[in-house]
Amino acid sequence: MTDHVSQPRLLLRRLHSVMASGGKAQDKLDRVVRVIAQNMVAEVCSIYLSRAGGILELFATEGLKEEAVHQTRLRVGEGLVGLVAERGLPLNLSEAPQHPRFVYRAETGEDIYHSFLGVPVLRAGKVTGVLVVQNVTPRKYRPEEVEALQTISMVLAELVTSGELVDQEELAEDATDIGEPVRLDGMVMASGVGAGIAIFHQPQVKITKTVADDVDEERVRLEDALGAMRLQLEEMIQHPDLAHGGEHREVLETYRMFAYDQGWQDKMHAAVQSGLTAEAAVNKIQQENRARMAKIPDPYIRERIADFDDLATRLIRIIQGDESNYRTQLTEDSVLIARNVGPAELMDYDQQYLKAIVLEEGSVTAHVTIIARAMGIPVIGRVSDLLTHVQTGEHIIVDASSAHVYVRPTEDVIESYRSNLEIQEQLFAEYAAERELPAETLDGERIDLFMNAGLLVDLPSLDNTGACGIGLFRTEFQFMVSPALPKVDEQTKIYKAALDAAGDKPVVFRTLDIGGDKQVPFLPRDEEENPAMGWRAIRIALDRPALLRFQLRALLYAAAGKTLHVMFPMIAEVAELRRCKAILNKEILRLKKFDKEPPVDVKVGCMLEVPSLSWQLDILLQEIDFLSIGTNDLMQFFFACDRSSPRLADRYDLLAPPVLAFLHMIVQSCHEANVPVTLCGEMGGRPIDAMALIALGLKRLSVSPTSVGPVKRMIRSVHMGQLRDFMLSNIKSPEHSIRDSLTHFAKDHGIKV
């Protein structure tokens, strides 16, 4: 094997010659395994292809018994071949029979072979087969030998995916009958409703030539294309829609950084040097990147797959001179259907007609989701088998309020959608008309409604809803999309933009609440059995004080000449709060030392999310200017109930008497100490829950922008005296929940919930 691995170009040309010759595909495959075995000095070369139902079938071999061809079958995950297919990564063993996954099939006669090297045959990011070489002598194949076999497998993918060996329809056996209406469920990633014809995002490009005639010429083609792609990205950064900056601009800045990644470029150049064309080299490296990154547990890394897919596709199109602009030639309302989309690719679509996006993959923190949210495009992701249920041109309705996607909807669904949309638009118009009206009960009690935010694109909602201010500005999002710790000046720009947009209205900034399910790429992490209760939020900040110090510095800079409201999350004891305040005070002194303009005032608060803090309320309320109750975390700790567990999702009700009694105690303590208290969890955004909260004495709620209108309408239809009497008579009920009783009360008293 060692004598010829230094001549990969010769082997590639021989394989290309075999595949370009006439004859049946099976005959070509038989010749291919002989050529590979001879040129790589392997006693065995075998090719297994994917069949329907997750089966791998031996299609050709040189060295194993001929009678095993088309007879030996393994499930994905079974045996060493199945393991390669399952992982999508190479497997290199010097003693294959000793591996715990080794499966002996007597009909193959492979028991005499010790060394094993298997690589996946990848196409469009999916494993379509496995290429294996084996030797009798125990040996670990060298990295360059593994690389050579991976290159061969990429060329081999042309023959494997031609449809002559395995009918492609067989591999789509799970597809539904076209024409039948289907409702698909997924995860809401950007809210909204949209409808239109299905258009398929086409990230894969057809590569017709894989073997280079002139390596030097291919190297020049690759370099020229890289330069052209970088120029495109520079122009994209200057897009007028991104001129005001914010997280979505930062996303593209990060994306541009990926395009300049030296490691990525070096791998592509090495692939060209091995004898591939420029476009085949780009495709090979991307297939390997996708397979490797998909197995990494870090969610941030996995979410970057789409970014590199986007870059690779863009680069291949430039190499091939493909200047098609199908994305900008939409002529009617359309819904984009894709496995995933890169952020730069999304920018190519005509925003006038792009009404929604539906993805098989995706996440709420993926770059494309951030861009879509900034553009006001609804997104539903994690839709299983999406691409097998939809065809181009079919009517799609995307309802991100319920996470439903309707494919080929029936007339009654279409009519219901139209009716719901009309009702929604009418309600929005009514809420907008009421935006200047105070959130005041029928008997004259005023409730201050604030809104939660985390993106600059959320800020226009402050005026649109008539909210009193931002009761919770989540600062962690900027950190979650950045590959490195954002610099102080970068943070300052975001915070200043939020303050400027709010004008005279207050903005309450929560310091970093990272960790748990909100990981950042620049901090090492350990696996935790209970991440929600682990190393997160203020615990990270106090262990890594530079993080907190730089963030507080940026907040102080941004609030120059204004009032700064800052609060600390996940405080479990007053001692932690005092440590945070000490760091803040040092940063305030630093402003004076460097003659920087300070805020006119700094208001300090904390989140009540950990129940232990409630037993120090008397001390705590002497230390802070305001308190925020974060019911999302507080209630899961209160009930010892994982809110992400499907089995427990409906087990406990937030309108349970113990919850209401606990919250009543906190609110009363704050009133007695004359400390403003706000509830900023999701509980406050549901009108029936908000009814209970204001009856307990809460005068301030911070909710999502879309909840301001409905909650205000509820408040304006309530007689507080009647509601408070009802609540206090039920707060000690032994029932599981008083939700039904409260709902009946609302109905009986004409309260709009």
Side-chain angles (χ1 to χ4, degrees), residues 509-566:
F509 292 98
R510 182 180 69 186
T511 62
L512 276 179
D513 184 6
I514 55 176
D517 61 347
K518 292 180 285 189
Q519 300 291 350
V520 293
F522 51 83
L523 270 184
R525 72 211 65 168
D526 298 321
E527 290 295 324
E528 295 182 295
E529 290 188 11
N530 297 296
M533 301 172 69
W535 195 58
R536 55 171 289 206
I538 209 63
R539 298 166 183 177
I540 292 178
L542 292 176
D543 286 352
R544 299 285 188 273
L547 275 176
L548 182 58
R549 195 169 69 247
F550 292 159
Q551 184 177 33
L552 292 174
R553 187 176 303 170
L555 286 166
L556 290 167
Y557 287 169
K562 300 179 180 180
T563 298
L564 173 64
H565 294 79
V566 59

Short mmCIF file of all heavy atoms in Angstrom, two decimals, residues 509-566:
data_model
loop_
_atom_site.label_atom_id
_atom_site.label_comp_id
_atom_site.label_asym_id
_atom_site.label_seq_id
_atom_site.Cartn_x
_atom_site.Cartn_y
_atom_site.Cartn_z
N PHE A 509 -31.01 45.86 31.98
CA PHE A 509 -30.08 44.91 31.39
C PHE A 509 -29.78 43.79 32.38
O PHE A 509 -29.33 44.05 33.50
CB PHE A 509 -28.76 45.59 31.01
CG PHE A 509 -28.89 46.59 29.89
CD1 PHE A 509 -29.02 47.95 30.17
CD2 PHE A 509 -28.87 46.18 28.57
CE1 PHE A 509 -29.12 48.88 29.16
CE2 PHE A 509 -28.98 47.09 27.54
CZ PHE A 509 -29.11 48.45 27.83
N ARG A 510 -30.01 42.56 31.97
CA ARG A 510 -29.60 41.42 32.78
C ARG A 510 -28.21 41.00 32.34
O ARG A 510 -27.97 40.81 31.14
CB ARG A 510 -30.58 40.25 32.61
CG ARG A 510 -30.23 39.03 33.48
CD ARG A 510 -31.22 37.90 33.26
NE ARG A 510 -31.10 37.31 31.95
CZ ARG A 510 -31.93 36.37 31.47
NH1 ARG A 510 -32.96 35.96 32.20
NH2 ARG A 510 -31.76 35.88 30.26
N THR A 511 -27.29 40.84 33.27
CA THR A 511 -25.95 40.41 32.89
C THR A 511 -26.00 38.97 32.40
O THR A 511 -27.02 38.29 32.50
CB THR A 511 -24.96 40.55 34.07
OG1 THR A 511 -25.39 39.70 35.15
CG2 THR A 511 -24.88 41.99 34.53
N LEU A 512 -24.88 38.51 31.89
CA LEU A 512 -24.81 37.23 31.19
C LEU A 512 -25.50 36.08 31.93
O LEU A 512 -25.15 35.76 33.06
CB LEU A 512 -23.34 36.84 30.98
CG LEU A 512 -22.63 37.43 29.79
CD1 LEU A 512 -21.19 36.95 29.76
CD2 LEU A 512 -23.34 37.06 28.50
N ASP A 513 -26.46 35.47 31.24
CA ASP A 513 -27.08 34.24 31.76
C ASP A 513 -26.73 33.13 30.77
O ASP A 513 -27.56 32.70 29.97
CB ASP A 513 -28.59 34.39 31.90
CG ASP A 513 -29.23 33.15 32.53
OD1 ASP A 513 -28.47 32.25 32.94
OD2 ASP A 513 -30.46 33.08 32.58
N ILE A 514 -25.46 32.71 30.80
CA ILE A 514 -24.99 31.65 29.91
C ILE A 514 -24.76 30.38 30.72
O ILE A 514 -24.81 30.38 31.93
CB ILE A 514 -23.70 32.06 29.17
CG1 ILE A 514 -22.63 32.47 30.17
CG2 ILE A 514 -23.99 33.17 28.18
CD1 ILE A 514 -21.29 32.80 29.55
N GLY A 515 -24.49 29.30 29.99
CA GLY A 515 -24.36 28.00 30.64
C GLY A 515 -25.69 27.27 30.54
O GLY A 515 -26.67 27.77 29.98
N GLY A 516 -25.75 26.07 31.10
CA GLY A 516 -26.97 25.28 30.97
C GLY A 516 -27.23 24.97 29.51
O GLY A 516 -26.39 24.39 28.82
N ASP A 517 -28.39 25.41 28.98
CA ASP A 517 -28.71 25.18 27.58
C ASP A 517 -28.27 26.34 26.70
O ASP A 517 -28.57 26.37 25.51
CB ASP A 517 -30.21 24.93 27.40
CG ASP A 517 -31.06 26.13 27.84
OD1 ASP A 517 -30.51 27.02 28.51
OD2 ASP A 517 -32.26 26.14 27.52
N LYS A 518 -27.56 27.33 27.28
CA LYS A 518 -27.10 28.49 26.50
C LYS A 518 -25.57 28.54 26.55
O LYS A 518 -24.99 29.33 27.30
CB LYS A 518 -27.73 29.77 27.06
CG LYS A 518 -29.23 29.85 26.83
CD LYS A 518 -29.84 31.12 27.38
CE LYS A 518 -29.96 31.12 28.88
NZ LYS A 518 -30.74 32.25 29.41
N GLN A 519 -24.96 27.67 25.76
CA GLN A 519 -23.51 27.58 25.76
C GLN A 519 -22.90 28.63 24.84
O GLN A 519 -23.52 29.06 23.87
CB GLN A 519 -23.07 26.18 25.31
CG GLN A 519 -23.58 25.06 26.19
CD GLN A 519 -22.95 25.06 27.57
OE1 GLN A 519 -21.99 25.77 27.83
NE2 GLN A 519 -23.48 24.25 28.46
N VAL A 520 -21.68 29.03 25.16
CA VAL A 520 -20.92 29.94 24.31
C VAL A 520 -19.65 29.23 23.86
O VAL A 520 -19.10 28.41 24.60
CB VAL A 520 -20.58 31.26 25.04
CG1 VAL A 520 -21.84 32.05 25.33
CG2 VAL A 520 -19.83 30.99 26.33
N PRO A 521 -19.19 29.51 22.65
CA PRO A 521 -18.07 28.73 22.09
C PRO A 521 -16.72 29.02 22.72
O PRO A 521 -15.79 28.22 22.57
CB PRO A 521 -18.07 29.14 20.61
CG PRO A 521 -18.71 30.50 20.60
CD PRO A 521 -19.74 30.47 21.69
N PHE A 522 -16.58 30.14 23.43
CA PHE A 522 -15.25 30.50 23.91
C PHE A 522 -15.01 30.09 25.37
O PHE A 522 -13.97 30.43 25.93
CB PHE A 522 -15.03 32.02 23.76
CG PHE A 522 -16.11 32.87 24.33
CD1 PHE A 522 -16.14 33.19 25.68
CD2 PHE A 522 -17.13 33.36 23.52
CE1 PHE A 522 -17.14 33.97 26.21
CE2 PHE A 522 -18.14 34.15 24.04
CZ PHE A 522 -18.14 34.46 25.39
N LEU A 523 -15.96 29.37 25.96
CA LEU A 523 -15.76 28.90 27.33
C LEU A 523 -15.73 27.37 27.36
O LEU A 523 -16.62 26.73 26.80
CB LEU A 523 -16.90 29.37 28.23
CG LEU A 523 -16.75 30.71 28.95
CD1 LEU A 523 -17.95 30.92 29.87
CD2 LEU A 523 -15.47 30.80 29.74
N PRO A 524 -14.72 26.78 27.98
CA PRO A 524 -14.71 25.31 28.12
C PRO A 524 -15.85 24.88 29.02
O PRO A 524 -16.29 25.62 29.90
CB PRO A 524 -13.36 25.03 28.77
CG PRO A 524 -13.02 26.28 29.51
CD PRO A 524 -13.58 27.40 28.67
N ARG A 525 -16.37 23.68 28.77
CA ARG A 525 -17.48 23.20 29.61
C ARG A 525 -17.32 21.72 29.88
O ARG A 525 -16.71 20.99 29.10
CB ARG A 525 -18.81 23.47 28.92
CG ARG A 525 -19.06 22.57 27.73
CD ARG A 525 -19.88 23.25 26.69
NE ARG A 525 -19.15 24.37 26.13
CZ ARG A 525 -19.54 25.01 25.05
NH1 ARG A 525 -20.62 24.67 24.45
NH2 ARG A 525 -18.83 26.00 24.57
N ASP A 526 -17.87 21.31 30.97
CA ASP A 526 -17.88 19.89 31.34
C ASP A 526 -19.31 19.39 31.23
O ASP A 526 -20.27 20.15 31.37
CB ASP A 526 -17.38 19.71 32.77
CG ASP A 526 -15.93 20.16 32.95
OD1 ASP A 526 -15.14 19.90 32.02
OD2 ASP A 526 -15.62 20.77 33.98
N GLU A 527 -19.45 18.09 31.00
CA GLU A 527 -20.77 17.50 31.00
C GLU A 527 -21.34 17.56 32.41
O GLU A 527 -20.67 17.21 33.38
CB GLU A 527 -20.70 16.04 30.52
CG GLU A 527 -20.38 15.90 29.03
CD GLU A 527 -21.48 16.45 28.14
OE1 GLU A 527 -22.67 16.32 28.51
OE2 GLU A 527 -21.15 17.04 27.09
N GLU A 528 -22.57 18.01 32.54
CA GLU A 528 -23.22 18.12 33.84
C GLU A 528 -24.53 17.33 33.81
O GLU A 528 -25.28 17.39 32.83
CB GLU A 528 -23.52 19.59 34.18
CG GLU A 528 -22.28 20.44 34.37
CD GLU A 528 -22.63 21.87 34.76
OE1 GLU A 528 -23.25 22.56 33.93
OE2 GLU A 528 -22.29 22.29 35.87
N GLU A 529 -24.79 16.61 34.89
CA GLU A 529 -26.02 15.84 34.95
C GLU A 529 -27.25 16.74 35.03
O GLU A 529 -28.31 16.41 34.51
CB GLU A 529 -25.99 14.89 36.14
CG GLU A 529 -24.99 13.74 35.99
CD GLU A 529 -25.12 12.72 37.10
OE1 GLU A 529 -26.11 12.79 37.86
OE2 GLU A 529 -24.23 11.86 37.19
N ASN A 530 -27.12 17.89 35.70
CA ASN A 530 -28.23 18.84 35.84
C ASN A 530 -27.76 20.24 35.44
O ASN A 530 -27.52 21.09 36.30
CB ASN A 530 -28.74 18.86 37.29
CG ASN A 530 -29.30 17.52 37.72
OD1 ASN A 530 -30.29 17.05 37.17
ND2 ASN A 530 -28.66 16.90 38.69
N PRO A 531 -27.60 20.49 34.12
CA PRO A 531 -27.01 21.76 33.69
C PRO A 531 -27.80 22.99 34.12
O PRO A 531 -27.22 24.03 34.37
CB PRO A 531 -26.97 21.62 32.15
CG PRO A 531 -27.92 20.51 31.83
CD PRO A 531 -27.89 19.59 33.00
N ALA A 532 -29.14 22.88 34.22
CA ALA A 532 -29.94 24.03 34.65
C ALA A 532 -29.59 24.45 36.07
O ALA A 532 -29.77 25.61 36.47
CB ALA A 532 -31.42 23.70 34.56
N MET A 533 -29.08 23.49 36.86
CA MET A 533 -28.71 23.77 38.24
C MET A 533 -27.20 23.77 38.42
O MET A 533 -26.70 23.68 39.55
CB MET A 533 -29.34 22.71 39.16
CG MET A 533 -30.85 22.65 39.07
SD MET A 533 -31.57 21.26 39.96
CE MET A 533 -31.25 21.77 41.65
N GLY A 534 -26.48 23.87 37.31
CA GLY A 534 -25.03 23.74 37.36
C GLY A 534 -24.29 25.06 37.22
O GLY A 534 -24.71 26.10 37.71
N TRP A 535 -23.19 24.99 36.49
CA TRP A 535 -22.27 26.13 36.34
C TRP A 535 -22.83 27.05 35.26
O TRP A 535 -22.61 26.85 34.08
CB TRP A 535 -20.88 25.62 35.98
CG TRP A 535 -19.79 26.63 36.15
CD1 TRP A 535 -19.45 27.29 37.28
CD2 TRP A 535 -18.87 27.07 35.14
NE1 TRP A 535 -18.38 28.13 37.05
CE2 TRP A 535 -18.00 28.01 35.74
CE3 TRP A 535 -18.69 26.77 33.79
CZ2 TRP A 535 -16.98 28.64 35.04
CZ3 TRP A 535 -17.67 27.40 33.09
CH2 TRP A 535 -16.83 28.32 33.71
N ARG A 536 -23.56 28.06 35.68
CA ARG A 536 -24.22 28.95 34.73
C ARG A 536 -24.42 30.32 35.36
O ARG A 536 -24.25 30.52 36.56
CB ARG A 536 -25.57 28.37 34.28
CG ARG A 536 -26.51 28.04 35.41
CD ARG A 536 -27.91 27.68 34.92
NE ARG A 536 -28.61 28.84 34.41
CZ ARG A 536 -29.95 28.96 34.39
NH1 ARG A 536 -30.70 27.98 34.86
NH2 ARG A 536 -30.50 30.04 33.91
N ALA A 537 -24.77 31.27 34.49
CA ALA A 537 -25.15 32.63 34.89
C ALA A 537 -24.11 33.27 35.82
O ALA A 537 -22.92 33.30 35.50
CB ALA A 537 -26.55 32.61 35.52
N ILE A 538 -24.56 33.74 37.00
CA ILE A 538 -23.65 34.49 37.87
C ILE A 538 -22.54 33.60 38.42
O ILE A 538 -21.47 34.08 38.82
CB ILE A 538 -24.45 35.16 39.01
CG1 ILE A 538 -23.73 36.44 39.45
CG2 ILE A 538 -24.67 34.22 40.18
CD1 ILE A 538 -23.65 37.49 38.36
N ARG A 539 -22.75 32.29 38.43
CA ARG A 539 -21.72 31.38 38.91
C ARG A 539 -20.52 31.40 37.97
O ARG A 539 -19.37 31.37 38.41
CB ARG A 539 -22.30 29.97 39.04
CG ARG A 539 -23.44 29.92 40.05
CD ARG A 539 -24.27 28.65 39.98
NE ARG A 539 -25.37 28.71 40.93
CZ ARG A 539 -26.30 27.78 41.06
NH1 ARG A 539 -26.28 26.70 40.28
NH2 ARG A 539 -27.26 27.91 41.94
N ILE A 540 -20.79 31.45 36.68
CA ILE A 540 -19.71 31.58 35.70
C ILE A 540 -19.06 32.96 35.84
O ILE A 540 -17.83 33.09 35.84
CB ILE A 540 -20.23 31.38 34.27
CG1 ILE A 540 -20.66 29.92 34.05
CG2 ILE A 540 -19.17 31.77 33.23
CD1 ILE A 540 -21.24 29.64 32.68
N ALA A 541 -19.91 33.98 35.95
CA ALA A 541 -19.39 35.36 36.01
C ALA A 541 -18.46 35.57 37.20
O ALA A 541 -17.44 36.27 37.09
CB ALA A 541 -20.55 36.35 36.06
N LEU A 542 -18.80 34.99 38.35
CA LEU A 542 -17.95 35.17 39.53
C LEU A 542 -16.70 34.31 39.47
O LEU A 542 -15.67 34.67 40.06
CB LEU A 542 -18.75 34.87 40.80
CG LEU A 542 -19.87 35.89 41.11
CD1 LEU A 542 -20.66 35.44 42.33
CD2 LEU A 542 -19.30 37.29 41.32
N ASP A 543 -16.76 33.19 38.75
CA ASP A 543 -15.56 32.37 38.56
C ASP A 543 -14.68 32.92 37.45
O ASP A 543 -13.47 32.65 37.42
CB ASP A 543 -15.95 30.93 38.22
CG ASP A 543 -16.49 30.17 39.43
OD1 ASP A 543 -16.40 30.71 40.55
OD2 ASP A 543 -16.99 29.04 39.25
N ARG A 544 -15.27 33.66 36.53
CA ARG A 544 -14.54 34.30 35.43
C ARG A 544 -14.84 35.80 35.50
O ARG A 544 -15.54 36.34 34.65
CB ARG A 544 -14.97 33.73 34.08
CG ARG A 544 -14.72 32.24 33.91
CD ARG A 544 -13.24 31.94 33.69
NE ARG A 544 -13.03 30.54 33.34
CZ ARG A 544 -12.87 29.57 34.23
NH1 ARG A 544 -12.91 29.86 35.52
NH2 ARG A 544 -12.67 28.32 33.84
N PRO A 545 -14.33 36.49 36.51
CA PRO A 545 -14.73 37.89 36.74
C PRO A 545 -14.43 38.84 35.59
O PRO A 545 -15.08 39.88 35.47
CB PRO A 545 -13.94 38.28 38.00
CG PRO A 545 -12.86 37.26 38.13
CD PRO A 545 -13.38 36.00 37.52
N ALA A 546 -13.48 38.48 34.73
CA ALA A 546 -13.20 39.35 33.58
C ALA A 546 -14.43 39.46 32.68
O ALA A 546 -14.70 40.54 32.11
CB ALA A 546 -12.01 38.81 32.79
N LEU A 547 -15.19 38.37 32.53
CA LEU A 547 -16.41 38.41 31.74
C LEU A 547 -17.36 39.47 32.28
O LEU A 547 -17.88 40.31 31.53
CB LEU A 547 -17.11 37.04 31.79
CG LEU A 547 -16.68 35.93 30.83
CD1 LEU A 547 -17.45 34.66 31.15
CD2 LEU A 547 -16.95 36.34 29.39
N LEU A 548 -17.60 39.41 33.58
CA LEU A 548 -18.53 40.35 34.21
C LEU A 548 -17.98 41.76 34.21
O LEU A 548 -18.70 42.73 33.94
CB LEU A 548 -18.83 39.88 35.64
CG LEU A 548 -19.84 40.73 36.42
CD1 LEU A 548 -21.18 40.80 35.70
CD2 LEU A 548 -20.02 40.17 37.83
N ARG A 549 -16.68 41.89 34.48
CA ARG A 549 -16.07 43.21 34.55
C ARG A 549 -16.17 43.93 33.20
O ARG A 549 -16.55 45.10 33.14
CB ARG A 549 -14.61 43.07 34.98
CG ARG A 549 -13.99 44.38 35.43
CD ARG A 549 -12.65 44.17 36.09
NE ARG A 549 -11.62 43.72 35.16
CZ ARG A 549 -11.04 42.52 35.18
NH1 ARG A 549 -11.40 41.63 36.10
NH2 ARG A 549 -10.11 42.20 34.31
N PHE A 550 -15.85 43.22 32.11
CA PHE A 550 -15.90 43.83 30.78
C PHE A 550 -17.34 44.16 30.39
O PHE A 550 -17.60 45.20 29.77
CB PHE A 550 -15.28 42.91 29.74
CG PHE A 550 -13.79 42.73 29.90
CD1 PHE A 550 -13.14 41.63 29.35
CD2 PHE A 550 -13.03 43.66 30.59
CE1 PHE A 550 -11.77 41.47 29.50
CE2 PHE A 550 -11.66 43.51 30.74
CZ PHE A 550 -11.03 42.40 30.20
N GLN A 551 -18.28 43.30 30.77
CA GLN A 551 -19.67 43.59 30.42
C GLN A 551 -20.18 44.81 31.17
O GLN A 551 -20.84 45.68 30.60
CB GLN A 551 -20.57 42.38 30.68
CG GLN A 551 -22.00 42.65 30.24
CD GLN A 551 -22.92 41.47 30.41
OE1 GLN A 551 -22.76 40.69 31.33
NE2 GLN A 551 -23.90 41.35 29.52
N LEU A 552 -19.88 44.89 32.46
CA LEU A 552 -20.31 46.05 33.25
C LEU A 552 -19.66 47.32 32.73
O LEU A 552 -20.29 48.39 32.69
CB LEU A 552 -19.98 45.83 34.72
CG LEU A 552 -20.78 44.72 35.43
CD1 LEU A 552 -20.24 44.49 36.83
CD2 LEU A 552 -22.26 45.08 35.47
N ARG A 553 -18.42 47.22 32.31
CA ARG A 553 -17.72 48.38 31.75
C ARG A 553 -18.44 48.87 30.49
O ARG A 553 -18.67 50.08 30.31
CB ARG A 553 -16.28 48.01 31.42
CG ARG A 553 -15.41 49.18 30.98
CD ARG A 553 -13.96 48.72 30.79
NE ARG A 553 -13.43 48.11 32.02
CZ ARG A 553 -12.26 47.46 32.08
NH1 ARG A 553 -11.52 47.32 30.98
NH2 ARG A 553 -11.84 46.96 33.21
N ALA A 554 -18.82 47.92 29.63
CA ALA A 554 -19.54 48.28 28.40
C ALA A 554 -20.89 48.91 28.72
O ALA A 554 -21.30 49.89 28.08
CB ALA A 554 -19.72 47.04 27.53
N LEU A 555 -21.58 48.38 29.71
CA LEU A 555 -22.87 48.94 30.10
C LEU A 555 -22.72 50.37 30.64
O LEU A 555 -23.53 51.26 30.33
CB LEU A 555 -23.53 48.05 31.15
CG LEU A 555 -24.12 46.72 30.63
CD1 LEU A 555 -24.44 45.79 31.80
CD2 LEU A 555 -25.38 46.99 29.81
N LEU A 556 -21.69 50.60 31.43
CA LEU A 556 -21.45 51.93 31.98
C LEU A 556 -21.10 52.92 30.86
O LEU A 556 -21.57 54.07 30.86
CB LEU A 556 -20.33 51.88 33.01
CG LEU A 556 -20.67 51.16 34.33
CD1 LEU A 556 -19.41 50.88 35.14
CD2 LEU A 556 -21.66 51.99 35.15
N TYR A 557 -20.27 52.50 29.91
CA TYR A 557 -19.95 53.36 28.77
C TYR A 557 -21.22 53.71 27.99
O TYR A 557 -21.45 54.86 27.60
CB TYR A 557 -18.98 52.65 27.82
CG TYR A 557 -17.55 52.53 28.32
CD1 TYR A 557 -16.64 51.70 27.66
CD2 TYR A 557 -17.10 53.24 29.43
CE1 TYR A 557 -15.32 51.58 28.09
CE2 TYR A 557 -15.79 53.13 29.87
CZ TYR A 557 -14.91 52.30 29.20
OH TYR A 557 -13.61 52.18 29.64
N ALA A 558 -22.06 52.68 27.73
CA ALA A 558 -23.25 52.88 26.91
C ALA A 558 -24.25 53.82 27.58
O ALA A 558 -24.98 54.56 26.91
CB ALA A 558 -23.92 51.54 26.62
N ALA A 559 -24.28 53.81 28.92
CA ALA A 559 -25.27 54.60 29.66
C ALA A 559 -24.76 55.97 30.08
O ALA A 559 -25.35 56.62 30.95
CB ALA A 559 -25.72 53.82 30.89
N ALA A 560 -23.68 56.42 29.49
CA ALA A 560 -23.12 57.73 29.84
C ALA A 560 -24.20 58.81 29.73
O ALA A 560 -24.86 58.95 28.69
CB ALA A 560 -21.94 58.06 28.93
N GLY A 561 -24.41 59.55 30.81
CA GLY A 561 -25.40 60.62 30.80
C GLY A 561 -26.83 60.14 30.98
O GLY A 561 -27.77 60.95 30.91
N LYS A 562 -27.01 58.84 31.20
CA LYS A 562 -28.36 58.29 31.37
C LYS A 562 -28.41 57.45 32.64
O LYS A 562 -27.39 57.26 33.31
CB LYS A 562 -28.72 57.42 30.15
CG LYS A 562 -28.71 58.17 28.83
CD LYS A 562 -29.05 57.24 27.67
CE LYS A 562 -29.03 57.99 26.35
NZ LYS A 562 -29.37 57.11 25.20
N THR A 563 -29.58 56.92 32.95
CA THR A 563 -29.72 56.02 34.08
C THR A 563 -29.52 54.58 33.61
O THR A 563 -30.13 54.15 32.63
CB THR A 563 -31.10 56.15 34.74
OG1 THR A 563 -31.25 57.48 35.24
CG2 THR A 563 -31.25 55.17 35.89
N LEU A 564 -28.65 53.86 34.31
CA LEU A 564 -28.39 52.46 33.99
C LEU A 564 -29.11 51.57 35.00
O LEU A 564 -28.94 51.73 36.20
CB LEU A 564 -26.89 52.18 34.03
CG LEU A 564 -26.48 50.70 33.88
CD1 LEU A 564 -26.87 50.16 32.51
CD2 LEU A 564 -24.97 50.53 34.12
N HIS A 565 -29.92 50.64 34.47
CA HIS A 565 -30.55 49.60 35.30
C HIS A 565 -29.86 48.28 34.98
O HIS A 565 -29.91 47.81 33.84
CB HIS A 565 -32.04 49.48 34.99
CG HIS A 565 -32.85 50.67 35.35
ND1 HIS A 565 -32.89 51.82 34.58
CD2 HIS A 565 -33.66 50.92 36.43
CE1 HIS A 565 -33.69 52.71 35.14
NE2 HIS A 565 -34.17 52.20 36.26
N VAL A 566 -29.21 47.70 35.96
CA VAL A 566 -28.49 46.44 35.73
C VAL A 566 -28.90 45.45 36.81
O VAL A 566 -29.02 45.80 37.99
CB VAL A 566 -26.96 46.66 35.74
CG1 VAL A 566 -26.48 47.23 37.05
CG2 VAL A 566 -26.22 45.35 35.42
#
